[in-house]
Amino acid sequence: MDLQAFLHQQPPGYADTQALGRCLRALVEAGFDQLPLPGSGQTLARFQRLAEVGGHDLGLCKLYEGHTDALAIIQQLGGSPTPASTWGMWAAEPPQAKVRVTPSGQMVLLNGRKAWCSGAAVLSHALLTAWDDQDQQQLVAVALDQPGVIVTTDGWQALGMAATGSVEVVFEGAEAQAIGNPGDYLQRPGFWQGGIGIAACWYGAAQSIAERLRRHCAQRPEPHALAHLGAVDSALHAAAEVLRVSALAIDAQPTANAELLARRARAVVENSAEQVIRHVGRALGAGPYCKDRQFAQLIADLPVFLRQSHAERDLAALGQAVINEDWTL
């Protein structure tokens, strides 16, 4: 059975975190989380799988992307994930929430608060960034079913992406395992490669939203709707081409710094997704927002997920990076 068929057999999660957790576990048990690693020669297949899940349910995709990203990072840094586990990848570092790590024999102990912990209530493990006594960032792997891990209900009031349950987690002497060396999370090539994977999730959702307009125009080819469809198609085509080219570039140079590649890809896909949201809404009116549950959920979730981009701050960083670039074809 392929992934699409499998997903359509699963009950929709929508605003139910527990349902998303069950669906993620089903994906893991069926082996659909075993994606090619970035730079393995099959990076496009990885992006396509992420896009497929994004087009089905973005809440599920958020958990799926985090889980598959954590598996890739652990393998890249020489670790071995626990079999049949479900992982969060929690690396947000707002100033008010910081986790400290102290050595304890072969393990480390975690203390502090971690913000934006997607799926915390339904996952078995998490890979997260913490800080050692020299204020260096250290990746740690932690089992979540221990007394020193307290999943709160704080910090998450979203309507879009509500089911991800991206709450704050408090660690009080929780045992964890250090993964890699201090600084490895940001310094490894996979950091920016994974950032393009997020854009593939956005693309999958935008494509699914756009499909409603394509079907509408196939049945009722009205001029204004067709014009909107043309705009949507050009936006999606640009996004798809950027993702394909990015995958090829990663596979050609798997250890190269992919920051510029990722910033460009994310900017293009973000802009394309925003164009899709605008044009599809103007073409179809209120109908699918009110009568198509999957569409309504995607259209509510995608703007929230897109804000994993930092908008003009990311564009400014891209602008700085391209000052000395050659734009000649």
Side-chain angles (χ1 to χ4, degrees), residues 220-304:
R220 298 170 55 192
E222 54 190 278
H224 291 149
L226 285 170
H228 285 298
L229 181 59
V232 162
D233 177 71
S234 63
L236 285 176
H237 181 71
E241 286 301 305
V242 163
L243 289 170
R244 291 189 192 102
V245 169
S246 297
L248 290 172
I250 289 169
D251 287 337
Q253 294 183 295
T255 62
N257 185 336
E259 179 177 358
L260 179 57
L261 187 72
R263 289 195 181 279
R264 283 173 164 166
R266 286 167 65 97
V268 170
V269 178
E270 178 184 359
N271 182 63
S272 295
E274 290 176 340
Q275 291 300 310
V276 169
I277 291 170
R278 179 177 184 274
H279 284 286
V280 171
R282 291 174 70 85
L284 297 184
Y289 289 84
C290 304
K291 297 181 179 181
D292 182 336
R293 179 63 186 273
Q294 187 190 32
F295 175 93
Q297 193 66 56
L298 285 169
I299 212 78
D301 288 344
L302 184 52
V304 179

Side-chain angles (χ1 to χ4, degrees), residues 42-87:
Q42 301 180 68
T43 302
L44 182 58
R46 182 182 185 90
F47 291 169
Q48 288 169 333
R49 189 67 61 85
L50 291 169
E52 284 185 78
V53 180
H56 177 74
D57 185 323
L58 267 185
L60 174 62
C61 188
K62 175 64 175 172
L63 301 192
Y64 179 77
E65 188 280 329
H67 169 79
T68 54
D69 190 36
L71 295 186
I73 294 167
I74 292 171
Q75 291 181 66
Q76 288 165 348
L77 297 182
S80 180
T82 305
S85 49
T86 53
W87 288 79

Side-chain angles (χ1 to χ4, degrees), residues 163-177:
T164 63
S166 300
V167 295
E168 297 182 1
V169 175
V170 175
F171 296 95
E172 296 180 347
E175 282 196 335
Q177 179 182 0

Side-chain angles (χ1 to χ4, degrees), residues 1-10 32 48-49 51-53 55-56 207:
M1 181 185 299
D2 65 19
L3 177 59
Q4 284 285 8
F6 184 87
L7 288 170
H8 286 296
Q9 287 188 356
Q10 305 303 310
F32 286 116
Q48 288 169 333
R49 189 67 61 85
E52 284 185 78
V53 180
H56 177 74
Q207 184 184 48

